[in-house]
């Protein structure tokens, strides 16, 4: 059944449709999930194509008292194309809930949200591509959640992104390309590996400097020497 803003809190829900949201501000909305609904989003779709261009999402909140939970953008069996814009200072449980859907998210700033950024439950034949995006200071609403959860390997690709302080639950399932992970926290056993790698790199660099200084001191030059 279709969602309506009065009964379930969805602003736009595409069902077998193509929708374009361009140059808009989506601000200060409150999402109130009903007990009979598992998930409510501000923008959602099923079997649809949704294009979001240069749109700002800010200060959108939710009521977690109900059994259902809220998302900013949610799709099933659909295609999402998001170009430009920003997602800043929102407080639903999740920013993106993507299931069995293709998504291309390019040039979006995602910062200061109290939400899980991605919950991706795709099969391996569907890909979410995130390119040239900037992430900063996003924290899940629940302490036991990480910033990014991906159910299947190879379904999230991050290209030319500034990852800031993102925490990945399963980083081995994600494909990174030219994305800066400096400052990022990798959950689980991966954090140890990342920290160890950083320590090794720093140690090697220090040894290189020491060797260079030693070599310079080991070959003295005399003022009277002539070639």
């Amino acid at each position: 059944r279709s969602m309506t803003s009065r009964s379930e809190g969805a602003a736009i829900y595409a069902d077998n449709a193509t929708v374009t949201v361009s140059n808009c501000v989506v601000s200060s909305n409150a999402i109130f999930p009903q007990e009979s609904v598992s998930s409510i989003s501000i923008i959602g779709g099923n079997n649809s194509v949704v294009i979001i261009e240069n749109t700002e999402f800010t200060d959108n909140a939710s009521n977690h008292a109900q059994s259902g939970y809220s998302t900013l953008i949610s799709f099933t069996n659909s295609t999402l194309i998001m170009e430009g814009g920003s997602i800043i200072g929102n407080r639903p449980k999740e920013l993106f809930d993507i299931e069995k859907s293709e998504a291309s998210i390019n040039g979006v700033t995602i910062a200061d949200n109290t939400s899980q950024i991605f919950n991706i439950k795709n099969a391996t034949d569907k890909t979410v591509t995130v390119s040239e995006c900037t992430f900063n200071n996003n924290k899940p609403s629940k302490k036991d959640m990480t910033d990014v959860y991906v159910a299947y390997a190879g379904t999230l690709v991050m290209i030319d992104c500034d990852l800031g302080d993102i925490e990945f639950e399963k980083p081995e399932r994600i494909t990174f390309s030219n994305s800066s992970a400096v400052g990022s926290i990798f959950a689980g056993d991966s954090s140890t590996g990342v920290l160890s790698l950083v320590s090794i790199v720093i140690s090697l660099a220090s040894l290189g400097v020491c060797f260079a200084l030693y070599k310079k001191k080991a070959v003295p030059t005399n003022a009277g020497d002539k070639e």
Side-chain angles (χ1 to χ4, degrees):
R1 63 195 174 94
S2 298
M3 295 181 181
T4 64
S5 58
R6 180 180 177 183
S7 64
E8 297 175 358
I12 297 174
Y13 185 78
D15 190 359
N16 291 282
T18 298
V19 175
T20 299
V21 179
S22 183
N23 298 304
C24 294
V25 175
V26 182
S27 178
S28 303
N29 296 284
I31 312 167
F32 293 91
Q34 303 298 308
E35 293 183 2
S36 60
V37 181
S38 61
S39 176
I40 299 300
S41 59
I42 287 183
I43 297 181
N46 180 52
N47 294 316
S48 296
V49 176
V50 176
I51 302 168
I52 304 173
E53 301 172 330
N54 300 317
T55 292
E56 176 185 336
F57 294 86
T58 181
D59 195 33
N60 298 287
S62 66
N63 176 13
H64 294 300
Q66 303 288 352
S67 60
Y69 67 88
S70 61
T71 61
L72 194 70
I73 299 171
S74 176
F75 291 99
T76 304
N77 296 315
S78 297
T79 297
L80 167 66
I81 300 171
M82 191 170 185
E83 292 282 343
S86 62
I87 301 175
I88 298 176
N90 301 279
R91 302 181 301 281
K93 182 180 179 182
E94 298 169 352
L95 298 181
F96 292 91
D97 184 278
I98 299 174
E99 184 173 2
K100 301 176 184 177
S101 298
E102 294 278 347
S104 173
I105 302 167
N106 180 64
V108 180
T109 298
I110 301 174
D112 300 319
N113 300 287
T114 307
S115 313
Q116 184 176 49
I117 303 172
F118 289 108
N119 183 8
I120 300 173
K121 298 165 285 189
N122 279 351
T124 54
D125 62 335
K126 304 290 184 181
T127 302
V128 175
T129 302
V130 181
S131 57
E132 299 181 14
C133 290
T134 299
F135 300 85
N136 187 44
N137 196 35
N138 299 288
K139 298 298 178 185
S141 58
K142 292 188 175 182
K143 293 182 180 180
D144 59 344
M145 296 173 65
T146 54
D147 297 338
V148 177
Y149 171 76
V150 181
Y152 298 97
T155 58
L156 173 60
V157 178
M158 307 193 83
I159 305 171
D160 295 326
C161 291
D162 183 350
L163 300 180
D165 57 356
I166 287 184
E167 183 176 340
F168 300 93
E169 182 167 336
K170 298 287 184 180
E172 66 275 9
R173 294 178 179 172
I174 303 166
T175 302
F176 298 96
S177 177
N178 297 325
S179 294
S180 171
V182 176
S184 295
I185 300 171
F186 293 82
D189 296 335
S190 300
S191 59
T192 303
V194 171
L195 291 174
S196 298
L197 178 61
V198 171
S199 299
I200 292 170
V201 171
I202 292 174
S203 299
L204 289 175
S206 300
L207 286 173
V209 171
C210 292
F211 179 75
L213 291 173
Y214 171 77
K215 189 175 181 182
K216 185 176 181 180
K217 287 184 176 180
V219 186
T221 57
N222 296 321
D225 289 349
K226 295 183 180 179
E227 295 184 5

